[in-house]
Amino acid sequence: MTKNNHTFRDLTTHEQGIIDRLLEKAFPGRDEICEQMKICLVRTIDEDESLEFLVKSDVKAKVKRRIPVEAEFQDTDGVLIHILLHVIDGKVNELEIYKEDGSPIIESPDPSRLKMVCLD
């Protein structure tokens, strides 16, 4: 069953912390993504708390690939959780969160413990 809250809303403090961590290191398109984050809304799209973005900025990010940055976090059971930032047509589209083995996430990812994987 997919959890989909149809109402777009502001980022929570925890979600903003994850985004801020993903955007700490420089990569192509990062500055434009930071600009987009200032005036965007999100909605939760699944049980893992993945987010869909509604970007209200006209600024486009010139990223080299659809997923310019991602992070990993080890859940309390030892299984990796992946967090991927998707950019489509220059706009942040989704923050995909999933557990490697497909089981439910036990511990919400702690932004300070995220291991960054910059793809560019």
Side-chain angles (χ1 to χ4, degrees):
M1 181 165 88
T2 300
K3 178 180 178 182
N4 190 338
N5 181 348
H6 294 288
T7 305
F8 281 96
R9 58 174 171 74
D10 290 328
L11 287 162
T12 66
T13 302
H14 181 256
E15 293 163 347
Q16 186 65 59
I18 291 172
I19 295 293
D20 289 347
R21 182 80 168 101
L22 286 170
L23 299 177
E24 277 181 0
K25 294 192 178 185
F27 59 86
R30 175 194 166 271
D31 293 345
E32 293 83 2
I33 291 171
C34 288
E35 192 66 31
Q36 291 176 16
M37 290 293 108
K38 292 178 183 177
I39 51 171
C40 75
L41 298 174
V42 297
R43 65 180 171 191
T44 306
I45 56 173
D46 64 25
E47 295 85 1
D48 292 332
E49 304 295 322
S50 296
L51 300 173
E52 177 185 359
F53 289 82
L54 177 62
V55 175
K56 296 183 173 187
S57 170
D58 290 331
V59 173
K60 290 207 171 196
K62 292 182 174 96
V63 295
K64 290 184 178 178
R65 53 184 56 135
R66 179 183 169 125
I67 301 169
V69 65
E70 70 175 83
E72 297 173 344
F73 176 82
Q74 192 168 22
D75 207 344
T76 54
D77 61 2
V79 179
L80 281 180
I81 296 169
H82 297 271
I83 302 173
L84 290 73
L85 187 67
H86 292 259
V87 178
I88 298 175
D89 295 329
K91 303 278 186 168
V92 175
N93 178 266
E94 180 182 349
L95 183 69
E96 179 184 11
I97 302 172
Y98 69 92
K99 195 164 173 180
E100 210 164 73
D101 68 356
S103 66
I105 293 174
I106 301 167
E107 181 183 357
S108 186
D110 177 346
S112 69
R113 291 180 47 213
L114 293 178
K115 179 184 171 200
M116 303 310 301
V117 182
C118 202
L119 304 175
D120 281 329

